[in-house]
């Protein structure tokens, strides 16, 4: 089995890092430094022409987009590990949350991030293109992004009603979403308005694999 993981610290690749940690499968790690342009070098563009992490190469096949990677690793390694549902409606439920996280939830989150003053963007993704979008830096853009994000967090809060985790039991859908919601929590958003979300996030952070990553 050959699996290579292209990673950069404090980036979307942290989601895949958590997925791989949960699955506890061996892989070769390639750490890239976004700030010195590693993601735009010809050798990496052969793996991901978008010049972004995460990417994996499994058995010679390059796979990019964190949501595709989570679903792929779940399908190949997660079913037996009881971290990803077998094909069927539960699988559909997992895919729904993972795709929603990357598309619908991450969209206003990226707008909020881009609208923050540079000094408030912290270490997270500060070298990514989204980090410096001058036209997004207005109070109006920030308020709109916050309102749209609150709508999404209400949906997540509703999805978690009466459940410990998104599918009931813990799955890679939770591993994936906790990465995005953790990033959102590091911005100007009060998550305590969404108690199911904060309780769920705490339970995710108590997972040994995730706790270990967070401890560094
Ligand atoms: N939609 C992509 C987003 C990946 C992405 O934006 N990665 C950023 C880091 S968070 C990146 O690699 N940026 C490199 C660059 O801007 O050169 C995914 O989910 O994988």
């Amino acid at each position: 089995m050959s699996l290579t993981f292209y990673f950069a610290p404090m980036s979307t690749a942290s989601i895949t890092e958590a997925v791989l940690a949960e699955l506890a499968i061996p892989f070769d790690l390639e750490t890239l430094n976004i700030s010195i342009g590693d993601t735009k070098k010809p050798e990496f563009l052969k793996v991901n022409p978008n010049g972004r992490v995460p990417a994996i190469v499994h058995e010679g096949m390059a796979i990019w987009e964190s949501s595709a990677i989570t679903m792929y690793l779940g399908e190949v390694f997660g079913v037996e590990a009881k971290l990803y549902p077998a094909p069927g409606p539960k699988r559909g439920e997992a895919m729904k949350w993972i795709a929603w996280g990357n598309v619908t939830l991450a969209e206003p989150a990226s707008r909020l991030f881009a609208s923050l003053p540079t000094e408030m963007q912290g270490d997270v993704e500060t070298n990514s293109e989204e980090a410096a979008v001058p036209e997004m830096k207005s109070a109006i853009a920030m308020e709109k992004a916050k309102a749209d994000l609150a709508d999404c967090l209400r949906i997540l809060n509703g999805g978690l009603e009466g459940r410990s985790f998104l599918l009931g039991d813990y799955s890679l859908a939770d591993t994936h979403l906790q990465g995005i919601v953790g990033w959102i929590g590091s911005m100007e958003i009060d998550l305590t308005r969404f108690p199911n979300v904060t309780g769920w996030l705490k339970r995710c952070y108590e997972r040994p694999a995730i706790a270990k990553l967070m401890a560094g």
Side-chain angles (χ1 to χ4, degrees):
M1 204 267 291
S2 82
L3 178 63
T4 305
F5 170 37
Y6 293 84
F7 167 79
M10 311 297 277
S11 77
T12 312
S14 300
I15 295 175
T16 305
E17 183 187 35
V19 167
L20 286 165
E22 284 288 2
L23 291 169
I25 48 176
F27 59 87
D28 296 319
L29 180 66
E30 290 284 343
T31 301
L32 306 187
N33 185 336
I34 296 174
S35 64
I36 60 168
D38 284 350
T39 41
K40 305 297 183 228
K41 287 190 175 152
E43 57 267 34
F44 181 64
L45 292 175
K46 279 189 208 149
V47 175
N48 184 358
N50 300 286
R52 288 175 178 246
V53 287
I56 61 166
V57 177
H58 183 225
E59 309 291 13
M61 176 57 68
I63 300 162
W64 24 266
E65 286 300 325
S66 57
S67 52
I69 294 170
T70 298
M71 290 189 264
Y72 176 76
L73 292 174
E75 182 173 319
V76 176
F77 302 104
V79 179
E80 205 177 327
K82 301 218 177 313
L83 285 167
Y84 200 69
K90 271 274 173 220
R91 166 81 60 94
E93 192 178 28
M95 294 167 76
K96 170 182 82 176
W97 282 117
I98 294 165
W100 178 83
N102 269 46
V103 178
T104 308
L105 176 64
E107 190 278 320
S110 298
R111 266 192 285 127
L112 175 58
F113 181 73
S115 78
L116 294 177
T118 311
E119 62 277 11
M120 283 170 63
Q121 290 176 328
D123 292 332
V124 185
E125 290 186 25
T126 41
N127 300 308
S128 280
E129 285 151 14
E130 297 89 343
V133 188
E135 67 275 18
M136 299 289 287
K137 292 194 188 305
S138 78
I140 294 170
M142 187 189 286
E143 288 316 309
K144 174 80 176 104
K146 279 186 185 174
D148 293 345
L149 203 40
D151 286 343
C152 287
L153 290 168
R154 261 190 290 279
I155 290 168
L156 183 59
N157 203 63
L160 287 162
E161 187 64 40
R163 294 180 159 206
S164 296
F165 295 105
L166 287 165
L167 309 187
D169 292 331
Y170 183 81
S171 75
L172 295 183
D174 301 291
T175 322
H176 193 95
L177 267 287
Q178 63 79 32
I180 302 171
V181 177
W183 172 52
I184 290 168
S186 74
M187 295 191 270
E188 286 250 296
I189 278 280
D190 177 15
L191 288 181
T192 59
R193 287 183 291 153
F194 312 100
N196 296 340
V197 173
T198 48
W200 160 82
L201 198 55
K202 186 170 172 288
R203 287 189 287 282
C204 289
Y205 288 170
E206 284 164 1
R207 294 279 307 175
I210 294 177
K212 196 170 163 199
L213 284 179
M214 292 183 80

